[in-house]
Amino acid sequence: MQRRINPREANRMMQRMGMQVKQIDDVTRVVIESGSKKIIIDEPEVAIVTVQGQTVYQVGGGRTREEGPASASSDEDAKLVAAQAGVSAEEAASALRQSGGDLAQAIILLKQKKPS
């Protein structure tokens, strides 16, 4: 049978090992961006853990969602889609979001909406 350690005991043990843990209470969102996608975590639990001079941010819980590519090329993509479909850059950007960044699909969507 495992014994539960109360939080105060856990903090003391971590301090003896040279670890410091600090909870951040007012975090509403954490965004992780990579070259291919964005990971957004709403209402996470965040702690700063310092061990031997190194700082680690621990993120847990919350609601997670992913978004498609969000890079500088998205402006260029919107301009290309706008030119091909004969619409404004704003409409093209909206179509790109709807299509998950697929240029061809965005152009097709816009051409279907546009009256002949």
Side-chain angles (χ1 to χ4, degrees), residues 22-38:
K22 179 182 173 189
Q23 288 290 127
I24 303 176
D25 296 324
D26 59 348
V27 177
T28 58
R29 178 180 295 157
V30 172
V31 179
I32 301 170
E33 292 186 43
S34 72
S36 61
K37 63 182 172 183
K38 265 188 186 178

Side-chain angles (χ1 to χ4, degrees), residues 37-86:
K37 63 182 172 183
K38 265 188 186 178
I39 300 171
I40 301 165
I41 306 166
D42 292 311
E43 299 176 21
E45 294 178 16
V46 179
I48 300 173
V49 181
T50 306
V51 182
Q52 297 178 352
Q54 294 236 310
T55 302
V56 176
Y57 294 87
Q58 181 178 351
V59 179
R63 293 183 314 273
T64 305
R65 60 189 159 97
E66 291 186 19
E67 291 182 358
S71 62
S73 66
S74 63
D75 287 339
E76 294 171 16
D77 292 347
K79 288 177 186 175
L80 176 66
V81 170
Q84 291 293 315

Side-chain angles (χ1 to χ4, degrees), residues 91-102 105 109-110 113:
E91 289 176 292
S94 176
L96 278 167
R97 282 191 294 277
Q98 282 182 326
S99 67
D102 185 334
Q105 185 66 34
L109 281 172
L110 290 167
K113 288 181 184 179

